[in-house]
Amino acid sequence: GQGFGGDPQDVTVRFGEVSGRVVSVEPGIVVVEVPLEILPGEVTLTLEVRGVAAVATAVVAIVVPSAAFRSLSAGSGFTCGVLREGGASCWGIGVSGQLGSGPALIQSLLPVPVSGGGTYVAVSSGSAHTCGIDGAGTAHCWGKNDEGQLGSGGTSSSTVPTAVAGGLTFESVSAGIFHTCGLVASGEAFCWGDNTHGQLGEGTSTPSLVPVRVAGGLHFTTLSTGGFHTCGIEASAVGRLHCWGRNAHGELGNGTRTDAAVPVPVAGGPSFAVVSAGRQPPVGLAAVGEHTCGITRDGQAYCWGFNEQGQLGNGGGGESLTPVRVSDNRGFVSIAAGAFHTCGVTAGGEALCWGANDAGQLGTALLNPSFATPVPVLGRLRFSSITAGGASKSSLRGVRAHTCALTPEGFAFCWGRNGSGQLGAGFSGEQSLPVVVGG
């Protein structure tokens, strides 16, 4: 509605017979706290404005978030997160064991705990596998393992966490489509799994069932694995970004289309603080590529690579072999490159998305069209971080992705494709607005 004025004392909101505390009032919006005694489910909301005879009523659904999360990672048709108390949960498709819940689930519409009750500091969801790091720095992976992406030394899949071979102590881990990479305390990078395009970065195209050191002697502060490429920010005052692997559409950002089996510097020389290598595209479509995005130290967002749906966010439709600036200068703190879309969170907590929107993954309340420049996620929520999932089926261009984000309080919201329950809201079906995980 509208015409609410600007004084909270002029507005009364009730949930049934129980009054809520009005937090703030603007001419077109009222923010109110739901009283704790209101149970989840449908309830009649009544709103009155002092001096206005009419009373507004509506039946609303009260939902309760799941436990607070520390971090989220959207995969291909599923999502995982680390809880504030340290445990890990996953939801969505689970036929390959990527939920880590023990017996493989067809799907789960709500978060299920990762088996073993371990404490995790980070998790990363890939195409059909997940990896996490426990409190001691040991990396564990679970799910599909046909290319050795679990790093266990074999190719047997696992429905429960399996320790990565080699005895390394990791600071971070990032799961791609068929490969995984991680950083140790010294900043050295190790990768394992498929290496068809040199995405392991050790100088060859030979796959590895165990971690191998990335060539070049570089030390990194952060890594991000895409579908078939990897990127890392150099641990130096310069903060130079390097990428390696597939480069058919310029996703390495070095001005060429040539694959690289060792790290190559991204062109242009921006000093990056955050990087996100695009999530997995449909595997069976050779003409489809990936993109990469990053945030510079002064908060500006850049993207490069494949741009069929406007996922570079610069207003153009053509791919770019070097970084191009996203058409928004509000300053970003988080960015996530999906398969055909990208999302970011500004310093003020606003979520913005751009690119493909066929499943509502931009959060605009629409299922189409695509947007080549950033558009706001609706709902007036404020977020601290965001993650974008990849394509949820191979060889289907039209089956794209979902998005999830965390509020500063740790509550998780997701939107977009939901055929397997990857939004974690307890139901299936696409959602073009944020829905609360665990609701």
Side-chain angles (χ1 to χ4, degrees), residues 71-424:
S71 64
L72 294 176
S73 180
S76 178
F78 72 106
T79 311
C80 293
V82 176
L83 298 169
R84 279 274 175 89
E85 63 267 24
S89 295
C90 297
W91 55 94
I93 192 167
V95 291
S96 296
Q98 58 265 58
L99 303 188
S101 57
L105 300 172
I106 295 176
Q107 64 181 24
S108 179
L109 304 181
L110 289 168
V112 292
V114 172
S115 179
T119 298
Y120 291 87
V121 297
V123 294
S124 179
S125 303
S127 176
H129 78 292
T130 307
C131 293
I133 301 173
D134 65 20
T138 302
H140 296 80
C141 296
W142 53 93
K144 198 170 184 179
N145 193 33
D146 51 340
E147 300 290 342
Q149 56 264 50
L150 301 192
S152 60
T155 56
S156 297
S157 298
S158 178
T159 63
V160 297
T162 302
V164 172
L168 294 167
T169 299
F170 288 93
E171 296 280 312
S172 66
V173 67
S174 182
I177 185 168
F178 297 127
H179 79 294
T180 309
C181 294
L183 284 181
V184 298
S186 66
E188 291 181 286
F190 290 80
C191 298
W192 55 94
D194 179 48
N195 198 26
T196 306
H197 300 279
Q199 59 263 48
L200 301 190
E202 43 74 79
T204 75
S205 58
T206 303
S208 179
L209 304 180
V210 296
V212 291
R213 183 181 281 104
V214 173
L218 295 171
H219 293 74
F220 300 96
T221 59
T222 185
L223 281 182
S224 179
T225 55
F228 298 99
H229 75 296
T230 310
C231 294
I233 298 175
E234 187 179 350
S236 70
V238 177
R240 179 176 293 179
L241 180 60
H242 293 74
C243 297
W244 54 96
R246 190 184 184 209
N247 196 30
H249 298 272
E251 51 263 55
L252 301 190
N254 67 338
T256 76
R257 299 178 188 274
T258 304
D259 291 358
V262 296
V264 293
V266 171
S271 180
F272 284 95
V274 178
V275 63
S276 177
R279 307 301 291 176
Q280 49 276 1
V283 178
L285 294 176
V288 171
E290 301 167 55
H291 70 296
T292 309
C293 294
I295 302 173
T296 62
R297 291 181 176 180
D298 62 355
Q300 300 307 303
Y302 287 81
C303 296
W304 55 96
F306 197 59
N307 196 31
E308 182 186 71
Q309 296 291 322
Q311 55 262 51
L312 301 191
N314 67 331
E319 61 191 31
S320 178
L321 307 183
T322 58
V324 292
R325 187 169 168 177
V326 173
S327 299
D328 195 290
N329 60 1
R330 274 176 279 188
F332 288 85
V333 295
S334 178
I335 198 164
F340 297 96
H341 79 296
T342 309
C343 292
V345 174
T346 69
E350 184 176 10
L352 304 170
C353 294
W354 54 96
N357 194 36
D358 56 306
Q361 58 265 51
L362 303 191
T364 62
L366 304 171
L367 293 181
N368 270 306
S370 300
F371 290 88
T373 56
V375 292
V377 173
L378 300 184
R380 298 181 67 89
L381 292 162
R382 287 294 177 264
F383 297 107
S384 57
S385 64
I386 201 160
T387 177
S392 50
K393 288 186 180 179
S394 63
S395 72
L396 289 178
R397 184 188 300 261
V399 180
R400 292 193 168 97
H402 69 294
T403 309
C404 294
L406 277 182
T407 68
E409 299 79 17
F411 295 129
F413 289 81
C414 297
W415 56 95
R417 183 165 176 81
N418 193 32
S420 301
Q422 55 263 53
L423 303 190

